[in-house]
Amino acid sequence: MRYWKIKLALVRHQTAIMLLLVLLHRSPFFRYISHFNKSLSQPLVRLVQNVSIAVASLGAVQAVSGATRFSTQPSGPFETRAEENFSMSFTVVGSPANPASWLIEGNVPPGLNVTSNSGNTLSQNSLNGRVVILSGSPTSPGAYSFTAQAYKEENLQGDTDGIKNPITITVIQALPPVPEILSHPSSLSVRPGAVAIFSVQGNDTPSTLQWFKNNIPIPGENSESLIMENVDAAAIGTYVASISNESGTVLSDPATLSLNAIGSSSLVNIANRGFVGTGDDVMIVGLTIAGSGSKRILLRASGPALANANPPVSGALADPTMLVVGSGGFEPLSNDNWSEDANTAEIESTSAAVGVESFAPGSKDAAILADFPAGTYGAILSGADGATGVALVEAFDADTGAPIRLTNLSTRCVAGDGDNVVIPGFVIQGNVAKTVIIRGIGPNLIGQSGGPTADQVLQNPNMTLFQTFPVFRQVTFNEDWEDSGNTDTISNLFQQVGASVLPEGSVDSAIVATLAPGGYGVVTSGSGSDSGICLVEVFEVD
């Protein structure tokens, strides 16, 4: 009778016992079934065994997952930026047996490493370990999807629930670097009515630019060059440029603009260093003297002096010869060796007066000292006996007190790389800044009368302007003349000085800048190792 009471009680509570055993399924309960066999009555033991067999069967069907879940840390969705650190992990939780290996199929973002908590790495889509870890910096934007399937034993052996758990990681475009300012604007003092140009240049990071005057944004002024014409007292102030993108904002150094009604400045030395070839590749230097009357000019062509400089210039022209021609009945002048000229002593004293070291006695450098009426002149520089090499042509104002002045230097020569780059230079003397236009013309020479052919020109000239004294610094850089913006204003300035207007979309280069008194040099070259004929020009604007 007691047996049937016990059986009835067990039948009534079978469901409760079943639920209890499900919970106990994750505990060491089943390790002690044998102990229950010894202590419980036979009917109870049979019922417990039957229920436990059902629960164990449930675990076998679920294999690894054990009726639990696939878990990721952190929880999805997963999104990161290219080139930024990212990590996630996944495993199966609530399982009677931990996963021992994984099958990973699909596209994992490049740049992410797939490892396990055991230190193993993914090999042929297989990975041994309980927890899978993805870490690193994705390299390419895109949506990447893959699946993860757990196995009970290593090397994809043993039971599996057959579930390929999907994971998608979205990699968005990397943030651009924080902008960097490569060249800052400089303070300027100019005459009333003059042109004043502030310039700033950032790196190649995509960004937006804004000019400020006295901390107030200037509407519409978003170009690298802030050009102000006919400046007056209203323009006096402090100017700053900001360059911004998603990653941050940088400010330029502040630059002030002031007026000096009695100030003046002029170009007192114009020079060009470049390669001298033969035939169409000789160096041709144009020189403009503005005003009325005549000006005494010292012209020099250095070859051996470059070879003996410190540091020496390799490939210097051994024996330069110079021929100067002009218009209006000007009698051509020429020189081969400077010390053979009739006024050698005056050339030496004039060199000292303008601040340049005299050539060595008996050297084969060339020099001409003469009075030049206002007008335009051309100096043709070549090598004696067809020699080629690098040379420096200089024009010095030896009569700075005269109202007549140097206003333009242009040089047609071959520009290359290394020691064969073209370097025009000039010196501004005075107590106010001067606006100049510097141009490197290559493609725009094609089609001109007597000009080079398309395969002869420098295809893509670029220029870097440096101040050489009283401080050395990079002022600005230009590859294509429209890069700095304000193209309409710049084109008007071209016409103002008598220079040709460059067509839209041309890859000729141009720099328009207002520069404080000092020395300047412009390194002009092609892209990479390109070489070809180019025209380098320096114009005084005001």
Side-chain angles (χ1 to χ4, degrees):
M1 187 68 180
R2 184 166 176 252
Y3 165 78
W4 291 109
K5 289 181 179 179
I6 292 175
K7 183 174 182 180
L8 180 61
L10 289 174
V11 171
R12 289 174 179 171
H13 299 292
Q14 181 172 348
T15 302
I17 293 172
M18 179 76 167
L19 293 174
L20 175 61
L21 290 176
V22 169
L23 295 175
L24 291 174
H25 180 62
R26 301 176 191 175
S27 75
F29 170 77
F30 294 100
R31 302 176 192 171
Y32 306 106
I33 289 295
S34 61
H35 298 296
F36 292 138
N37 287 343
K38 297 176 182 177
S39 59
L40 295 178
S41 63
Q42 288 301 316
L44 180 58
V45 168
R46 289 193 197 98
L47 182 58
V48 170
Q49 287 175 334
N50 291 338
V51 174
S52 65
I53 289 171
V55 174
S57 298
L58 176 63
V61 170
Q62 294 299 327
V64 175
S65 66
T68 57
R69 63 188 177 88
F70 178 77
S71 175
T72 64
Q73 181 61 40
S75 59
F78 304 105
E79 183 176 279
T80 186
R81 283 190 181 274
E83 300 177 11
E84 290 187 0
N85 289 331
F86 171 82
S87 65
M88 68 159 292
S89 62
F90 56 82
T91 189
V92 169
V93 296
S95 170
N98 290 324
S101 62
W102 292 86
L103 175 65
I104 310 295
E105 295 180 303
N107 297 314
V108 174
L112 292 186
N113 300 311
V114 184
T115 59
S116 73
N117 62 304
S118 305
N120 298 311
T121 58
L122 183 67
S123 175
Q124 296 183 340
N125 297 334
S126 175
L127 176 65
N128 289 335
R130 177 174 59 86
V131 180
V132 178
I133 303 165
L134 281 74
S135 62
S137 300
T139 57
S140 302
Y144 299 89
S145 297
F146 59 95
T147 60
Q149 183 177 351
Y151 284 77
K152 195 172 183 178
E153 298 177 11
E154 290 188 346
N155 302 318
L156 307 183
Q157 300 298 312
D159 293 331
T160 178
D161 58 9
I163 298 175
K164 296 188 175 184
N165 301 280
I167 296 175
T168 296
I169 300 175
T170 301
V171 181
I172 60 177
Q173 187 70 40
L175 283 173
V178 175
E180 178 185 358
I181 293 181
L182 303 179
S183 59
H184 294 263
S186 296
S187 295
L188 301 172
S189 176
V190 300
R191 290 178 58 88
V195 175
I197 302 173
F198 288 113
S199 296
V200 67
Q201 201 155 45
N203 55 5
D204 290 334
T205 299
S207 56
T208 58
L209 189 150
Q210 177 63 59
W211 282 98
F212 295 79
K213 177 190 175 188
N214 298 333
N215 298 320
I216 299 174
I218 306 174
E221 294 297 345
N222 310 112
S223 301
E224 292 180 347
S225 295
L226 172 62
I227 303 178
M228 296 173 282
E229 300 181 90
N230 299 314
V231 296
D232 55 21
I236 295 173
T238 300
Y239 294 81
V240 171
S242 71
I243 302 179
S244 306
N245 64 16
E246 295 176 75
S247 301
T249 298
V250 291
L251 297 178
S252 72
D253 294 341
T256 59
L257 178 65
S258 60
L259 299 182
N260 184 341
I262 59 174
S264 65
S265 60
S266 60
L267 296 174
V268 295
N269 168 217
I270 304 176
N272 187 77
R273 200 202 84 163
F275 181 79
V276 177
T278 60
D280 289 339
D281 294 339
V282 298
M283 183 185 293
I284 303 174
V285 178
L287 184 68
T288 300
I289 302 172
S292 59
S294 297
K295 176 168 282 295
R296 197 153 184 80
I297 299 291
L298 172 63
L299 293 172
R300 304 188 352 147
S302 302
L306 296 181
N308 296 322
N310 186 19
V313 175
S314 62
L317 187 62
D319 188 3
T321 65
M322 183 166 49
L323 171 66
V324 180
V325 296
S327 58
F330 179 80
E331 189 72 24
L333 301 172
S334 64
N335 181 260
D336 184 0
N337 302 320
W338 80 278
S339 56
E340 297 175 1
D341 196 276
N343 57 352
T344 300
E346 188 181 0
I347 290 175
E348 284 188 296
S349 61
T350 302
S351 296
V354 298
V356 63
E357 184 177 355
S358 181
F359 291 137
S363 79
K364 292 184 177 298
D365 303 286
I368 293 173
L369 177 63
D371 293 322
F372 290 83
T376 300
Y377 299 87
I380 302 170
L381 186 64
S382 60
D385 300 323
T388 63
V390 177
L392 172 67
V393 177
E394 303 167 286
F396 293 92
D397 185 346
D399 186 15
T400 56
I404 190 172
R405 67 189 191 278
L406 294 169
T407 60
N408 164 237
L409 172 77
S410 61
T411 305
R412 181 188 182 278
C413 61
V414 175
D417 59 357
D419 284 334
N420 292 331
V421 298
V422 176
I423 308 177
F426 53 92
V427 174
I428 299 173
Q429 180 176 294
N431 54 11
V432 292
K434 178 170 287 293
T435 298
V436 296
I437 295 171
I438 309 159
R439 309 201 311 175
I441 310 299
N444 206 45
L445 295 178
I446 301 171
Q448 294 186 9
S449 178
T453 60
D455 60 343
Q456 291 177 316
V457 300
L458 188 63
Q459 298 297 325
N460 189 15
N462 58 75
M463 300 188 301
T464 304
L465 172 63
F466 294 92
Q467 184 172 14
T468 56
F469 70 85
V471 296
F472 184 87
R473 66 184 181 95
Q474 179 177 321
V475 179
T476 190
F477 167 87
N478 181 262
E479 182 172 4
D480 300 332
W481 76 278
E482 295 171 298
D483 288 350
S484 59
N486 291 303
T487 54
D488 289 342
T489 302
I490 291 174
S491 293
N492 290 336
L493 292 175
F494 289 168
Q495 296 179 72
Q496 179 179 323
V497 299
S500 61
V501 174
L502 297 177
E504 292 184 10
S506 86
V507 294
D508 303 286
S509 60
I511 293 172
V512 182
T514 303
L515 303 173
Y520 297 88
V522 189
V523 178
T524 308
S525 63
S527 296
S529 59
D530 290 347
S531 64
I533 296 172
C534 70
L535 177 67
V536 180
E537 303 168 299
V538 179
F539 296 93
E540 175 192 78
V541 176
D542 55 28

